[in-house]
Amino acid sequence: MRTHTRASALAALVFILAAAARSPGGARGPFERVQVQKPESEFARLAARLAEQRLGGADEGQKLQEQALAILDGLALEALNAPQGLDLKALNKRLDAMATQQPPVGESYRVLRLGGQPAPYALVANFGLGGPSAVRLYTLASGRYGLAARVDRFTQTDFFDEYLELIPVTASLTLFVTVTGRTDDLQTGSFTAWRLDGNRVTPVWSSDILPQSSYESRADGFRLTYCAATDEDNPRICRRMTRDRYVWDGATWKRVEQTSLPVPKR
């Protein structure tokens, strides 16, 4: 009788443990392995799909891009909200390692500090030379950083999202310039100035597509140099070089100076 009771109890215990293992919310056995997808592995899969679909001419879709960017958001916000404080160098080193292409031509992920107090931060994401590209903006609220706004072709329908560079413009105000499309040997680029106000990012100025362009942010404003007139038969020949200086006057982004420059020899 005692042997039968022990056998019944053992069978019941095995049944309970098996049921718990099969149940999504049940307890896991001490030797059961939990498969946890590392963010780097999942990001590599998503980023590769994004680049492949863009190069193939397919619409990669907002959902796929947001899934990849959400992983980068998690890494950035973990570092921004670290109890010991932000180590920006270490964060960018980790983001550099997220590149899926070797060498990572046109692919980069980086966080920059912007102007304003408390300081916002921007994540600049380039999934490859042909795009897509995006900006994520993080601000401090209730003692913690969170995603406040974004710049991409889904939120700004006219945004040209190929190979993005970001230049902070002022130290006292969250104002920055994005440069996109500079992938040819003529350094052709499209420039847009943005202002972040709370959770809203707004374009305050944009340029035409400018060939042979270069730029510099100084204390006295943002300087943009470009070819203002090309040869009709050969666009590689510049007939007139111009440098514009822009400033934020407290309400608008304004060109305050335009200078003609010598045409460089090519």
Side-chain angles (χ1 to χ4, degrees), residues 77 172 228 263:
L77 291 172
S172 59
V263 175

Side-chain angles (χ1 to χ4, degrees), residues 46-61 64 131-132:
L46 295 169
R49 282 184 60 195
L50 276 170
E52 179 183 352
Q53 291 185 23
R54 175 62 70 94
L55 288 174
D59 184 357
E60 63 274 9
L64 183 62

Side-chain angles (χ1 to χ4, degrees), residues 43 69 72 106-110 122-128 131-136 161 163-164:
F43 179 81
L69 290 169
L72 298 179
E107 185 185 12
S108 63
Y109 312 101
R110 189 166 186 81
L123 167 74
V124 181
N126 284 296
F127 290 95
S133 301
V135 178
R136 314 289 274 191
D161 67 341
Y163 194 66
L164 171 69

Side-chain angles (χ1 to χ4, degrees), residues 38-244:
K38 290 184 178 181
E40 289 84 357
S41 300
E42 177 63 5
F43 179 81
R45 182 184 70 82
L46 295 169
R49 282 184 60 195
L50 276 170
E52 179 183 352
Q53 291 185 23
R54 175 62 70 94
L55 288 174
D59 184 357
E60 63 274 9
Q62 182 175 1
K63 182 179 179 181
L64 183 62
Q65 182 169 311
E66 277 298 311
Q67 287 176 332
L69 290 169
I71 293 175
L72 298 179
D73 287 338
L75 298 177
L77 291 172
E78 179 185 12
L80 287 167
N81 293 314
Q84 68 273 22
L86 171 65
D87 186 339
L88 189 57
K89 184 176 180 180
L91 170 59
N92 282 324
K93 185 176 180 180
R94 185 177 185 186
L95 291 173
D96 283 341
M98 299 292 284
T100 60
Q101 305 170 40
Q102 295 301 326
V105 179
E107 185 185 12
S108 63
Y109 312 101
R110 189 166 186 81
V111 170
L112 300 88
R113 177 173 176 161
L114 302 178
Q117 289 296 332
Y121 287 83
L123 167 74
V124 181
N126 284 296
F127 290 95
L129 278 178
S133 301
V135 178
R136 314 289 274 191
L137 297 162
Y138 312 114
T139 59
L140 191 65
S142 302
R144 289 186 65 81
Y145 277 94
L147 178 63
R150 32 188 269 239
V151 176
D152 54 49
R153 70 182 183 89
F154 303 107
T155 54
Q156 290 83 23
T157 55
D158 295 330
F159 182 65
F160 183 48
D161 67 341
E162 290 189 3
Y163 194 66
L164 171 69
E165 300 170 45
L166 185 147
I167 310 98
V169 174
T170 63
S172 59
L173 186 73
T174 308
L175 196 70
F176 59 92
V177 173
T178 56
V179 190
T180 55
R182 285 163 58 85
T183 57
D184 63 7
D185 60 352
L186 291 178
Q187 294 185 305
T188 303
S190 178
F191 296 77
T192 304
W194 307 82
R195 183 183 179 187
L196 177 65
D197 186 7
N199 291 341
R200 183 179 180 186
V201 62
T202 307
V204 295
W205 165 84
S206 62
S207 75
D208 295 328
I209 298 176
L210 303 175
Q212 301 183 37
S213 57
S214 60
Y215 56 87
E216 184 180 15
S217 183
R218 292 186 179 182
D220 64 347
F222 182 78
R223 296 167 184 260
L224 177 57
T225 303
Y226 58 97
C227 178
T230 59
D231 186 86
E232 293 183 359
D233 298 323
N234 186 353
R236 292 180 173 276
I237 299 175
C238 182
R239 297 300 184 191
R240 178 164 54 91
M241 288 294 293
T242 299
R243 175 180 294 151
D244 295 340

